[in-house]
Amino acid sequence: MKKLIYICLLLLFSLYSFSCSKSEKSDFIFEPAVPLGDPFILLYEGTYYAYGTNAENGIEVYTSDDLRYWSKSNALALKGEDSWGGRWFWAPEIYYIKDKKKFYMYYSANEHICVATSDSPLGPFVQEPKTPMLANEKAIDNSLFIDNDGTAYLYFVRFNNGSAVWSAKLAADLKTIDGNTLKQHISVSQEWEKVWGLVNEGPFVIKHNNLYYMTYSANSYESQRYGIGLAIASSPTGPWTKYAGNPILQLPVDLVGVGHNALFWDKDGKLKIVFHAHHSKDSIHPRAMYIADVSWTTDAVPLMKISPEIIRPKIKRK
């Protein structure tokens, strides 16, 4: 009799456990991360647009109202057939140029820097002419900065003794590099940058209090210690001084492989940083997009501070 009671109790417990497990599973909502490496966010007419490295045949675009939940566009913002190169579409940055009434996408294709234009932030972006900005040389990570006087600069990475950040002025068409103004700015020089390879990449420049601030990434993107550094100059052409307290972002909370950022202002006019991190501590891909607030210190030369509270964007359920 005792054995029979024990068996009955065991069956009841098993049924209860199965019922709870079933209930828990039915209540669980899977919210995938936004799978963008080298992310960039554009705010245009009240909508956020996110672009990055992911698709094999072009550049994807996602939209959001709140930075937390994103919807993927059904079409690529840039299709491979509308670009030179055919593969390795990396690190897009998109800007609306008001006086031209056009959106400009700066990106890398087949390890060459390119630019394409569109009438819409959703695309289609088309490269015309279909030639790299530096036709006879590999380069990546091109980023636009337009100073208050209207002078346009392109920052990018050249492969000379590792990866180093260079710049050049752009012609009025914002597509043509003035070769006479090519200038190297930063390369590996600080100890934290020497974990894996000779890599300074992903430059992004903004102006604050009449000073110029460049964020950049160091170490191989494959390294868990990929991180973000800061350099400061009194001119967009340098000389640049790296912050002695670098990196300003590396291994935050549970994330590894953090880097290749861009900066943007949200709907409330607050400065934010968008960056990617590895999929997990065990695998690099697919990388995911993350966002954090940026503030300024009150030092004589203000420094960027990145909030430890990180937004983890998700793909909106349809």
Side-chain angles (χ1 to χ4, degrees), residues 74-75 121 153:
N74 292 326
Y153 299 87

Side-chain angles (χ1 to χ4, degrees), residues 227-288:
I228 298 172
L230 178 68
I232 305 169
S234 58
S235 162
T237 58
W240 295 87
T241 301
K242 290 182 178 179
Y243 169 45
N246 279 336
I248 59 171
L249 188 66
Q250 188 184 53
L251 300 173
V253 289
D254 59 334
L255 301 179
V256 299
V258 167
H260 199 117
N261 75 280
L263 297 161
F264 69 99
W265 284 265
D266 68 12
K267 293 180 183 180
D268 297 321
K270 295 180 180 177
L271 185 61
K272 291 191 180 323
I273 185 169
V274 57
F275 55 91
H276 74 238
H278 289 180
H279 177 68
S280 69
K281 292 181 179 179
D282 299 315
S283 60
I284 298 171
H285 300 286
R287 293 170 293 178

